[in-house]
Amino acid sequence: MDSRHDHLYIGGAWVRPSTERRLAPVDPSTELSLGSVPEAVEADVDAAVGAARAAFDSPGGWASWEPSRRGEVMERFAAELDARARDIAALVSAQNGMPVNIARQLEVGYPGAVLRYYAGLARETGFSEVRAGLLGGSVEVRRLPVGVVAAIVPWNYPQVLSMFKIAPAMAAGCTVVLKPSPETVLDSYLVAEAAQAAGVPAGVLNIVPGGRAAGAHLVAHPGVDKVAFTGSTAAGRAIGETCGRLLRPVTLELGGKSAGIVLDDAELDPAVIGQDLVAATLTNNGQTCFLSTRILAPRGRYAEVVDLVTDLARSLPVGNALDEQTLVGPLVSAAQRERVEGHVAKGLAEGARLTTGGRRPADLDRGWFLEPTVLADVDNSWTVAREEIFGPVLCVIPYEDSKDAADAVRIANDSDFGLGGTVWTADPERGAAVARRVHTSTIGVNGYLPDPVAPFGGTKASGLGSELGPEGLAAYLRFQSVYQSSPADGREPAGSGAEPRDAGAAHQHTPMTATTTTLTA
Ligand code: NAD
């Protein structure tokens, strides 16, 4: 596989980069180069923001289109992504080590579903409604696109996490500058090609492959109106500080350390629970933000849970991410593997009991592999239970048995993070009752997969705001209330009086004034 690109996708065209600098992703399964692309630097980011700004501000542009027309383009975009599914899955696997079977389920198909879902929401959402006032007159409530969006994503799910931002932004009428992570820039070219083939208007989507400096420049750029970020809590804090200073709306999807609560009635047969438990705890080699990596086991069944988790982890085939049989691929980089190994060593030093893994597989002499690892007898106060590891490492923590699983809920909530979690039980009602007491923004009963119809995000150190669902669309809208001192008579509201930045959006009420639909799917 050798993928080389010499241009950047800016303003709907393939343009020359401003410098000779390049990014060269490496296959973590083989340590071989996969190709290279231009690295976007500040001047390229400026050009991309300029193109997005022009596309947003131009009269008659994207923001002023009827939402159903935007939806048609988004559906064509989804179809073009489908047409590239094979190549996208292979490129993602080769760049970040995600087993190709998982890439086919989560990195293709799912992004298209998100695009189609938001295309539907664009059609169904009322972007303007008139409310009878309590004070005699009426109020026109307008939902306007927030403007130019800076979308910054990590390497672990480059396609899905890009689409969590691009799709609602496009539905709302925003324009986007996407900054992929240096490790996964190659697949972003397929997104650009799909957008171009689908007829996404020039400047609505621009892509700047770059590192932290390009990201920081984009976040603080005066032409940007909103930042949508997924990545580490450390970077999220830095971005949040910048946005706070600029009073710029920001969505932050950050790290996690979620709990998987095994209730005392759970079915511990691997044939029943195995696949879902592995998916909820180890997907993508443990490099997934929401995984239930702290497994909480009732003392009465503690040994059974440790045995189950150990047997499952040991049974997973480790190997090249492009091999169809592989269920655990490599870590994304040598540095990441060393970091994860450091966590395992620290856990053992803190007193954990290693029941499987902890080593580099003997039969794989190239690639940044680590055996799936289980640390038992962990105390929730230890570093290994408090910090995000981001590798195939599970901690099993005992809790005191009781009908309401109070001790498990206490331990689950004793975390700086608040992203995901799971409850495992033979009684889904009981599971839901326990799940509702866990202080995270998402949680699953007997499995976990973020559904596009519902908000996904984190609380505490896991982030601010939500993606997905109608709530994810609302994050790309701002409101304007136009007070009428006499009751509305159904006529078109006169002149927008909008500032230049609203020029496109100002046209938006025309097709939507009659509807009073609210923000529901
Ligand atoms: P990272 O924070 O190092 O980088 C993420 C992206 O931000 C990259 O594109 C990077 O170039 C850019 N970036 C880094 N510092 C920046 C800055 N100061 N300003 C602007 N841009 C900056 O994260 P990573 O190592 O690529 O990804 C792993 C992390 O992402 C994990 O902590 C994981 O939990 C988190 N994550 C969260 C979610 C979620 O939805 N909550 C989903 C996936 C991953």
Side-chain angles (χ1 to χ4, degrees):
M1 197 179 290
D2 187 13
S3 188
R4 183 185 166 94
H5 298 273
D6 293 317
H7 295 90
L8 298 171
Y9 185 65
I10 293 176
W14 296 99
V15 303
R16 294 181 73 80
S18 66
T19 71
E20 300 287 311
R21 290 172 61 163
R22 298 189 67 82
L23 295 168
V26 172
D27 182 341
S29 297
T30 62
E31 303 179 33
L32 298 175
S33 170
L34 289 165
S36 68
V37 307
E39 177 176 354
V41 298
E42 291 189 2
D44 305 302
V45 172
D46 292 346
V49 174
R53 187 81 263 157
F56 184 76
D57 290 338
S58 71
W62 181 250
S64 72
W65 284 23
E66 268 197 61
S68 60
R69 195 172 157 216
R70 289 201 293 265
E72 282 163 23
V73 172
M74 292 167 68
E75 270 159 10
R76 289 204 302 273
F77 189 6
E80 292 292 342
L81 287 173
D82 287 348
R84 291 161 177 78
R86 226 179 114 95
D87 291 345
I88 291 174
L91 266 182
V92 169
S93 287
Q95 291 172 106
N96 71 4
M98 180 184 300
V100 71
N101 270 317
I102 295 173
R104 278 198 213 105
Q105 290 166 45
L106 299 181
E107 282 283 282
V108 298
Y110 192 170
V114 172
L115 256 178
R116 291 185 175 100
Y117 170 72
Y118 277 107
L121 269 195
R123 274 190 289 270
E124 292 161 21
T125 298
F127 285 85
S128 173
E129 91 184 64
V130 176
R131 299 180 189 169
L134 284 180
L135 305 177
S138 64
V139 187
E140 183 201 7
V141 178
R142 306 175 72 212
R143 296 181 177 88
L144 304 169
V146 77
V148 172
V149 173
I152 300 178
V153 294
W155 45 263
N156 63 337
Y157 290 88
Q159 292 283 317
V160 164
L161 297 172
S162 297
M163 211 45 78
F164 279 13
K165 297 158 185 61
I166 294 170
M170 286 181 74
C174 296
T175 58
V176 178
V177 178
L178 172 71
K179 195 205 77 64
S181 201
E183 294 83 353
T184 46
V185 284
L186 298 177
D187 58 298
S188 73
Y189 278 78
L190 295 180
V191 176
E193 286 170 21
Q196 197 176 38
V200 172
V204 170
L205 176 63
N206 310 273
I207 302 183
V208 285
R212 181 178 301 193
H217 184 65
L218 178 59
V219 166
H221 201 289
V224 164
D225 297 305
K226 180 204 158 68
V227 176
F229 172 77
T230 299
S232 62
T233 296
R237 284 190 205 282
I239 290 168
E241 281 177 21
T242 301
C243 291
R245 180 166 49 77
L246 297 170
L247 295 179
R248 181 165 292 172
V250 61
T251 312
L252 300 172
E253 303 287 357
L254 311 175
K257 189 77 184 179
S258 303
I261 302 176
V262 181
L263 294 182
D264 53 13
D265 64 354
E267 175 58 82
L268 298 182
D269 179 351
V272 177
I273 192 178
Q275 204 174 342
D276 291 332
L277 189 60
V278 167
T281 56
L282 285 164
T283 292
N284 196 16
N285 324 327
Q287 300 174 130
T288 306
C289 54
F290 56 68
L291 294 177
S292 298
T293 53
R294 288 183 295 148
I295 297 182
L296 311 189
R299 283 211 188 271
R301 302 190 70 190
Y302 182 69
E304 278 178 85
V305 175
V306 172
D307 287 350
L308 171 74
V309 174
T310 301
D311 291 348
L312 286 173
R314 197 179 282 144
S315 73
L316 301 173
V318 180
N320 188 310
L322 287 168
D323 184 331
E324 296 287 339
Q325 307 308 317
T326 294
L327 287 178
V328 175
L331 279 303
V332 73
S333 64
Q336 179 73 2
R337 179 170 64 174
E338 274 168 33
R339 222 178 56 80
V340 174
E341 287 174 328
H343 275 289
V344 173
K346 181 125 203 216
L348 295 175
E350 283 172 315
R353 176 167 57 97
L354 181 74
T355 65
T356 188
R359 289 170 312 192
R360 302 177 179 191
D363 58 331
L364 295 166
D365 56 353
R366 288 185 76 95
W368 301 306
F369 296 94
L370 185 68
E371 290 173 350
T373 301
V374 177
L375 299 174
D377 308 348
V378 170
D379 189 281
N380 198 51
S381 65
W382 297 349
T383 308
V384 79
R386 304 212 69 85
E387 293 185 1
E388 183 180 53
I389 296 177
F390 230 54
V393 180
L394 301 179
C395 298
V396 189
I397 303 173
Y399 72 85
E400 303 305 329
D401 301 73
S402 71
K403 181 92 187 100
D404 65 355
D407 196 40
V409 172
R410 178 190 63 77
I411 297 170
N413 289 339
D414 179 13
S415 172
D416 294 337
F417 296 101
L419 185 56
T422 44
V423 183
W424 304 90
T425 173
D427 178 351
E429 299 269 316
R430 184 179 174 217
V434 171
R436 291 187 196 106
R437 288 154 56 208
V438 176
H439 299 162
T440 59
S441 298
T442 63
I443 188 159
V445 179
N446 293 328
Y448 183 101
L449 189 59
D451 193 298
V453 304
F456 171 79
T459 55
K460 301 193 270 183
S462 294
L464 284 178
S466 297
E467 297 188 310
L468 299 182
E471 296 80 3
L473 177 60
Y476 293 88
L477 297 170
R478 65 183 180 84
F479 299 103
Q480 185 188 39
S481 296
V482 181
Y483 307 120
Q484 291 281 3
S485 41
S486 52
D489 58 7
R491 272 183 292 146
E492 191 83 348
S496 74
E499 297 298 312
R501 277 194 173 197
D502 292 339
H507 295 247
Q508 194 150 359
H509 60 70
T510 310
M512 302 300 300
T513 304
T515 174
T516 55
T517 318
T518 48
L519 266 175
T520 51

